[in-house]
């Protein structure tokens, strides 16, 4: 299928690739809501359990067949991507529904909405469907990958919902945990009763075993802003398990000649390397840093209960640069400062678009975008500060750009700004 061709509703095309990238795209515009991609793995038209729902709060299927890889922004164009590996698809799964949901508005205000299927091996476009007739819908089934006679195909659907992602997910059998208001009590005043006669002693029957607790899917997510910069982890359900911190970035257009002399863009380099790091302080007073520099990757099962998962040197991998915090040991954490440094490839954060996402294993996602850097020569940025508040942890959006003095490392600079009080020695990776 040519890249310039677009499918009509109800049409289908073969998908010959063993794995595909499902890319949901749209254009940003004033007043338009954010859009999120999701997928439902179906058996005979329904999910087998809530685990068959892949979205921002549950980003990977247990089989590894479908993963939510996150968003990228280039200029005014935004994409949210799902990775599908047919080789890892469980034999009973015969359909993968590709859905979109609007956060804070309707799809009538979203321009340029499309879904396309891409072969990641060579970047070729296998299928493309553009949605242009949305009005009051808050969720859409844009398309579906389905199995027919042993081969996978893609069908353009374009079915809208005005009940949001919750309504769409519920239709396929997902249990959604949505906040509800408790109904007022209608208990009437009790009438006086005659005194009860003493009962003969009896052996109490053995109570039946309690039914297993079913954890419903939480669709809520939190975006931190300058006006609302902090949130409690426990209020979002993030009280245990792994807290994954992801830094995603990409460079903007590079200006040359007079534009470069004016300092408009200095971050457009193929060798740009940003390092995601964390300063920590435990309740026993011990302090340290988790970073790729010096191979200080940390540990999840022992202090500091923080681990650096990867070192993405390009920003192209939305699953690349991650820190994980073990919330099962949150009582040992006093404060954690997540920050990022420019290791090489640029003189500052200028013209760099970055998004920070904190994804608790058992709770709503917390994300925020970094403001465009207007501080010349800034090579270190404080992203988020996690602090103990009684028995809870609070996440505070920082988005604070700092400029190291001559001869002072970014790590020393961030230490001085937040009063960590550590001794530093040169390191390398």
């Amino acid at each position: 299928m040519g890249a310039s061709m677009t499918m009509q509703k109800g049409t289908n095309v073969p998908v010959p690739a063993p794995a595909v990238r499902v890319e949901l795209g749209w254009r940003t515009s004033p007043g338009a809501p954010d859009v999120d991609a999701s997928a439902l793995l179906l058996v005979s038209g329904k999910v087998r359990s809530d685990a068959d729902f892949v979205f921002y709060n549950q980003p990977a299927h247990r089989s590894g067949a479908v993963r939510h890889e996150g968003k990228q922004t280039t200029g005014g164009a935004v994409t949210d991507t799902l990775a599908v590996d047919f080789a890892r698809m469980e034999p009973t799964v015969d359909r993968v529904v590709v859905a979109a949901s609007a956060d804070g508005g309707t799809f009538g205000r979203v321009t340029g909405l499309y879904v396309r299927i891409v072969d990641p091996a060579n970047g070729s476009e296998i299928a493309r469907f553009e949605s242009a007739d949305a009005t009051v819908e808050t969720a859409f089934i844009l398309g579906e990958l389905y199995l027919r006679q042993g081969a996978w195909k893609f069908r353009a659907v374009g079915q809208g919902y005005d009940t949001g992602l919750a309504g769409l997910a519920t239709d396929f059998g997902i249990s959604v945990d949505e906040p509800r208001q408790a109904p007022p009590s209608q208990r009437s005043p009790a009438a006086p009763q005659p005194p009860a006669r003493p009962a003969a002693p009896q052996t109490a029957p053995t109570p039946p075993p309690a039914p297993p607790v079913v954890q419903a899917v939480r669709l809520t997510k939190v975006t931190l802003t300058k006006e609302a910069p902090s949130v409690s982890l426990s209020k979002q359900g993030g009280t245990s398990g792994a807290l994954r911190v992801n830094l995603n970035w990409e460079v903007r257009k590079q200006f040359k000649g007079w534009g470069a002399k004016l300092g408009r863009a200095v971050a457009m380099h193929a060798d740009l390397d940003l390092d995601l790091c964390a300063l920590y302080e435990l309740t026993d007073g011990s302090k340290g840093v988790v970073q790729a520099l010096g191979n200080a990757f940390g540990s999840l099962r022992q202090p500091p209960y923080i681990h650096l998962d990867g070192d993405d040197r390009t920003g192209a991998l939305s699953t690349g640069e991650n820190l994980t915090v073990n919330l099962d040991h949150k009582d040992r954490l006093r404060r954690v400062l997540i920050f990022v440094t420019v290791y090489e490839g640029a003189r500052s954060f200028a013209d760099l678009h970055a998004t920070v996402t904190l994804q608790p294993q058992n709770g709503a996602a917390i994300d925020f975008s970094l403001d465009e850097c207007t501080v010349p020569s800034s090579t270190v940025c404080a992203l988020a500060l996690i602090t103990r508040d009684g028995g809870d942890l609070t996440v505070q959006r920082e988005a604070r750009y700092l400029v190291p003095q001559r001869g002072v490392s970014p790590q020393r600079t961030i230490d001085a700004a937040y009063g960590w009080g550590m001794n530093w020695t040169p390191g390398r990776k």
Side-chain angles (χ1 to χ4, degrees), residues 47 66 76 82 89 104 108 124 135 163 184 193 226 261 277 281 287 302-304 325 369 376 378 380 399 418:
V47 298
V66 181
L82 299 160
M89 198 74 69
S124 62
T135 55
T163 51
Q193 300 292 327
K226 288 181 179 179
K261 290 181 180 179
C277 314
E281 181 181 1
K287 301 176 182 179
Q302 60 187 16
V325 181
S369 296
S378 172
V380 59
Y418 286 86

Side-chain angles (χ1 to χ4, degrees), residues 33-69:
D34 192 19
V35 178
D36 295 294
S38 58
L40 297 110
L41 286 73
L42 306 184
V43 177
S44 301
K46 292 287 185 180
V47 298
R48 296 161 296 179
S49 72
D50 292 348
D52 286 340
F53 186 27
V54 177
F55 69 119
Y56 46 80
N57 277 351
Q58 194 165 269
H61 191 260
R62 59 193 171 194
S63 67
V66 181
R67 300 188 316 277
H68 180 250
E69 295 203 328

Side-chain angles (χ1 to χ4, degrees), residues 254-265:
Q254 182 183 20
F255 296 89
K256 297 181 179 179
W258 288 105
K261 290 181 180 179
L262 293 173
R264 297 178 64 188

Side-chain angles (χ1 to χ4, degrees), residues 97-411:
V97 169
V98 178
S101 56
D103 183 17
T106 66
F107 275 104
R109 306 191 70 174
V110 177
T111 56
L113 181 66
Y114 69 87
V115 62
R116 69 182 193 128
I117 311 299
V118 178
D119 185 345
N122 54 26
S124 62
E125 186 176 89
I126 298 172
R128 183 185 185 95
F129 172 59
E130 298 176 0
S131 176
D133 56 355
T135 55
V136 299
E137 297 86 354
T138 49
F140 257 101
I141 297 177
L142 291 174
E144 59 184 16
L145 295 159
Y146 65 98
L147 192 60
R148 182 63 52 85
Q149 297 179 346
W152 286 92
K153 294 186 174 184
F154 176 77
R155 178 185 292 117
V157 177
Q159 177 184 348
Y161 288 71
D162 61 5
T163 51
L165 186 58
L168 185 154
T170 302
D171 273 3
F172 289 99
I174 297 294
S175 302
V176 175
D177 179 16
E178 288 291 281
R180 293 182 177 88
Q181 221 172 10
S185 174
Q186 298 180 354
R187 181 181 299 174
S188 301
Q193 300 292 327
R197 293 182 180 177
Q202 295 180 354
T203 304
T206 304
V213 177
V214 178
Q215 184 74 31
V217 170
R218 296 174 64 100
L219 298 184
T220 53
K221 64 176 181 177
V222 178
T223 298
L224 301 182
T225 63
K226 288 181 179 179
E227 293 74 24
S230 64
V231 66
S232 159
L233 273 179
S234 66
K235 288 181 180 178
Q236 303 307 318
T239 57
S240 62
L243 171 66
R244 180 172 172 266
V245 183
N246 174 260
L247 173 68
N248 216 314
W249 76 87
E250 58 186 37
V251 290
R252 303 180 192 272
K253 180 180 178 181
Q254 182 183 20
F255 296 89
K256 297 181 179 179
W258 288 105
K261 290 181 180 179
L262 293 173
R264 297 178 64 188
V266 293
M268 188 64 175
H269 296 272
D271 60 348
L272 177 64
D273 183 12
L274 301 186
D275 278 350
L276 187 63
C277 314
L279 285 174
Y280 64 84
E281 181 181 1
L282 305 183
T283 53
D284 63 4
S286 58
K287 301 176 182 179
V289 64
V290 175
Q291 60 180 7
L293 197 65
N295 295 322
F297 289 97
S299 174
L300 286 180
R301 293 180 174 83
Q302 60 187 16
Y305 310 111
I306 304 168
H307 183 250
L308 177 63
D309 300 334
D311 183 22
D312 180 10
R313 291 178 176 246
T314 66
L317 301 176
S318 58
T319 56
E321 194 86 4
N322 305 287
L323 275 165
T324 305
V325 181
N326 188 347
L327 294 181
D328 291 337
H329 295 277
K330 64 180 183 299
D331 292 340
R332 300 286 303 276
L333 302 173
R334 179 171 293 162
R335 56 176 179 159
V336 179
L337 178 65
I338 311 296
F339 67 100
V340 59
T341 68
V342 177
Y343 182 69
E344 61 183 18
R347 296 189 300 275
S348 82
F349 286 104
D351 298 291
L352 195 69
H353 176 81
T355 302
V356 182
T357 303
L358 293 88
Q359 177 65 68
Q361 183 176 328
N362 302 302
I366 301 167
D367 63 16
F368 60 89
S369 296
L370 296 180
D371 298 323
E372 184 172 352
C373 178
T374 57
V375 181
S377 304
S378 172
T379 55
V380 59
C381 177
L383 302 178
L385 181 63
I386 303 173
T387 54
R388 168 164 297 286
D389 183 8
D392 186 21
L393 294 178
T394 297
V395 178
Q396 170 86 22
R397 175 187 186 269
E398 294 294 304
R400 181 181 176 187
Y401 295 97
L402 300 171
V403 180
Q405 296 180 1
R406 182 182 297 274
V408 178
S409 69
Q411 288 82 355

